C-alpha cells in the first residue's frame, strides 16, 4: 500500500511503472476508480521490449472527502486481460 496524507481539495501524487521483460512491446492501461473521493483516472503506458516505462499522475481529493483512511482500487489491463 501507498499512504499519503491530504486535506479535502488537495492532490495526491502517484507513479505507475511498467517493467517489460518480454521480447515484445507491451501496452498497459492503469485505471483508478475514485468512488467520489478522488477523480476517476486512466493512464495508458507502452513499454518497449526489454525496457521500463514510468508515468507520474495526480488524483484530486474531493472537497467533500471525510477524514479517515480511504482505499482506492487500481486495476491494470493489457492484451492478456484485466488484473487487480
Amino acid at each position: 500500500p501507498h499512504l499519503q496524507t491530504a486535506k479535502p481539495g488537495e492532490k495526491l501524487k502517484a507513479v505507475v511503472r511498467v517493467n517489460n521483460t518480454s521480447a515484445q512491446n507491451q501496452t498497459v492501461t492503469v485505471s483508478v476508480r475514485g468512488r467520489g473521493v478522488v477523480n476517476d483516472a486512466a493512464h495508458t503506458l507502452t513499454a518497449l521490449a526489454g525496457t521500463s516505462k514510468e508515468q507520474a499522475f495526480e488524483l484530486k481529493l474531493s472537497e467533500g472527502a471525510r477524514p479517515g483512511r480511504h482505499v482506492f482500487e487500481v486495476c491494470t489491463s493489457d492484451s492478456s486481460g484485466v488484473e487487480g
Side-chain angles (χ1 to χ4, degrees):
H2 179 74
L3 302 176
Q4 290 186 47
T5 301
K7 294 179 182 176
E10 291 184 341
K11 294 182 179 180
L12 305 169
K13 296 180 181 184
V15 175
V16 174
R17 182 181 184 119
V18 175
N19 294 316
N20 183 6
T21 58
S22 74
Q24 298 178 358
N25 295 350
Q26 184 176 19
T27 299
V28 176
T29 300
V30 178
S31 302
V32 177
R33 295 184 198 131
R35 301 180 344 266
V37 180
V38 296
N39 53 299
D40 291 345
H43 300 277
T44 301
L45 294 90
T46 300
L48 301 177
T51 67
S52 297
K53 178 81 176 200
E54 188 172 282
Q55 181 178 343
F57 66 96
E58 294 181 337
L59 298 168
K60 184 178 179 185
L61 190 59
S62 168
E63 293 288 346
R66 293 182 174 192
R69 183 173 288 183
H70 301 280
V71 177
F72 305 104
E73 180 182 17
V74 177
C75 294
T76 60
S77 60
D78 60 18
S79 61
S80 64
V82 176
E83 185 174 321

